[in-house]
């Protein structure tokens, strides 16, 4: 019997926004593996299946079990929030397989099912903050030294990138976002728009629109399910939305088309 391993993105967390393919492969699978919170997101799709739930810090064990189960002939779906290739389980699965000499052409069949990543879903909720180049940085320094993360933040700030921040805070992760804010304020105005999106597209969804100056006032909204979007020098707020100009204004005389009475001086 030939097994298969699907690495499934179930993001953003609401069935209406989950991809058709993600639902399809979960239906095809006889075994579901994942971090408990992510498994709960698809609880109504996995009735009658064998389910293996894991705690947050058991990624390596999760990867080995998925591979072993698939090699034994099971059709396995490893569920991951958002997109499994963006801070998800796809990398660890491929690393583990590569260490064992796996050959994609004739070895265990593996398929990554892309999902809607946090940066996509969160951006859609708060307007159009990612219309120009942006950078994505995780504040988690469990796998990447904090000094390296600081350098990446500094480079993104110097380059005037919109910054998307994953894992902004946790019970043990306190100074990271504070340090990031200090770096950003070296290059950006205190009034730079900031959006905090918590549990996007889930029942507990919470949105806070603020700015760099007042970001510390919303520490209670920062956690592992939060994503922070910090605008660049062009980003502006409009009725609780973040807008990042795409550049069409100058190219197509957007003001004149919107308001014919407006004359360009």
């Amino acid at each position: 019997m030939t097994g298969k391993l699907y690495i499934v993105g179930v993001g953003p967390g609401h069935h209406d926004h989950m991809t058709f393919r993600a639902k399809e492969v979960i239906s095809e699978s006889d075994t579901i593996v994942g971090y408990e919170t992510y498994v709960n997101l698809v609880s109504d799709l996995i009735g009658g299946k064998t389910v293996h739930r894991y705690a947050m810090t058991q990624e390596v064990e999760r990867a080995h079990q998925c591979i072993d189960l698939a090699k034994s002939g099971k059709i396995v779906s490893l569920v991951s929030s958002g997109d499994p290739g963006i801070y998800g389980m796809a990398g660890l699965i491929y690393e583990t397989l590569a260490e064992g000499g796996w050959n994609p052409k004739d070895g265990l069949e593996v398929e990554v099912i892309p999902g809607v990543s946090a940066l996509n879903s969160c951006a859609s909720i708060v307007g159009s903050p990612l219309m120009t180049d942006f950078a994505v940085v995780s504040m988690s320094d469990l796998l990447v030294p904090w000094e390296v993360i600081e350098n990446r933040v500094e480079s993104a700030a110097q380059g005037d990138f919109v910054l998307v921040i994953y894992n902004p805070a946790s019970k043990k992760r306190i100074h990271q976002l504070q340090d990031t804010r200090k770096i950003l304020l070296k290059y950006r105005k205190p009034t730079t728009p900031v959006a905090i999106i918590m549990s996007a597209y889930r029942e507990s969804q919470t949105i806070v629109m603020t700015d760099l100056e007042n970001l510390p006032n919303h520490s209670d909204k920062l956690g592992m399910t939060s994503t922070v979007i910090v605008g660049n020098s062009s980003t502006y707020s409009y009725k609780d939305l973040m807008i990042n100009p795409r550049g069409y204004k100058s190219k197509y005389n957007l003001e004149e088309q919107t308001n014919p009475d407006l004359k360009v001086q």
Side-chain angles (χ1 to χ4, degrees):
M1 182 177 179
T2 303
K4 183 170 182 177
L5 176 55
Y6 294 111
I7 312 168
V8 189
V10 300
H14 191 287
H15 286 189
D16 289 350
H17 296 275
M18 192 184 301
T19 69
F20 175 83
R21 182 63 176 157
K23 294 179 182 178
E24 185 177 52
V25 300
I26 289 174
S27 176
E28 291 177 10
S29 301
D30 49 55
T31 306
I32 307 296
V33 180
Y35 170 48
E36 186 168 15
T37 298
Y38 305 151
V39 171
N40 290 340
L41 292 175
V42 294
S43 58
D44 60 331
L45 301 177
I46 58 177
K49 302 179 186 295
T50 300
V51 181
H52 299 275
R53 302 170 185 265
Y54 279 86
M56 175 68 82
T57 57
Q58 296 178 303
E59 289 87 357
V60 175
E61 294 91 334
R62 215 184 307 168
H64 281 290
Q65 184 180 38
C66 287
I67 293 168
D68 291 343
L69 286 168
K71 284 182 176 179
S72 73
K74 301 293 185 182
I75 307 299
V76 182
S77 274
L78 170 59
V79 295
S80 182
S81 76
D83 189 300
I86 301 179
Y87 299 112
M89 288 292 291
L92 183 54
I93 290 292
Y94 282 126
E95 287 176 60
T96 304
L97 288 167
E99 287 174 1
W102 170 70
N103 187 337
K105 294 182 178 180
D106 56 18
L108 175 67
E109 188 176 358
V110 179
E111 182 179 347
V112 176
I113 311 299
V116 181
S117 68
L119 65 91
N120 289 117
S121 55
C122 291
S124 69
I125 291 171
V126 299
S128 58
L130 307 182
M131 284 293 104
T132 53
D133 295 336
F134 59 90
V136 188
V137 180
S138 170
M139 294 289 100
S140 176
D141 54 0
L142 293 175
L143 303 176
V144 178
W146 177 242
E147 295 75 18
V148 174
I149 296 173
E150 281 186 306
N151 288 336
R152 291 173 179 175
V153 171
E154 185 98 31
S155 297
Q158 286 181 318
D160 199 30
F161 285 89
V162 174
L163 190 63
V164 181
I165 301 172
Y166 278 48
N167 307 313
S170 68
K171 291 180 180 178
K172 297 181 180 179
R173 194 177 304 126
I174 306 298
H175 73 86
Q176 285 85 345
L177 188 61
Q178 296 172 357
D179 293 352
T180 293
R181 174 177 171 272
K182 290 177 183 177
I183 294 171
L184 289 168
L185 283 170
K186 289 163 54 179
Y187 303 93
R188 300 190 188 172
K189 296 178 181 178
T191 54
T192 300
V194 175
I196 304 171
I197 305 94
M198 195 172 193
S199 301
Y201 287 101
R202 301 174 191 175
E203 291 182 3
S204 56
Q205 174 179 299
T206 304
I207 309 297
V208 174
M209 305 301 294
T210 183
D211 54 30
L212 270 178
E213 181 176 11
N214 293 291
L215 179 57
N217 298 332
H218 304 286
S219 58
D220 60 320
K221 297 298 190 294
L222 299 170
M224 293 301 291
T225 63
S226 303
T227 301
V228 177
I229 302 177
V230 182
N232 65 4
S233 61
S234 300
T235 307
Y236 63 93
S237 298
Y238 177 77
K239 298 185 184 296
D240 290 328
L241 294 173
M242 285 179 74
I243 299 176
N244 195 290
R246 185 68 183 91
Y248 298 121
K249 178 185 289 188
S250 58
K251 187 173 182 180
Y252 298 111
N253 295 320
L254 189 61
E255 297 102 327
E256 291 185 69
Q257 294 183 31
T258 305
N259 184 358
D261 296 326
L262 182 63
K263 303 296 182 182
V264 178
Q265 299 298 321

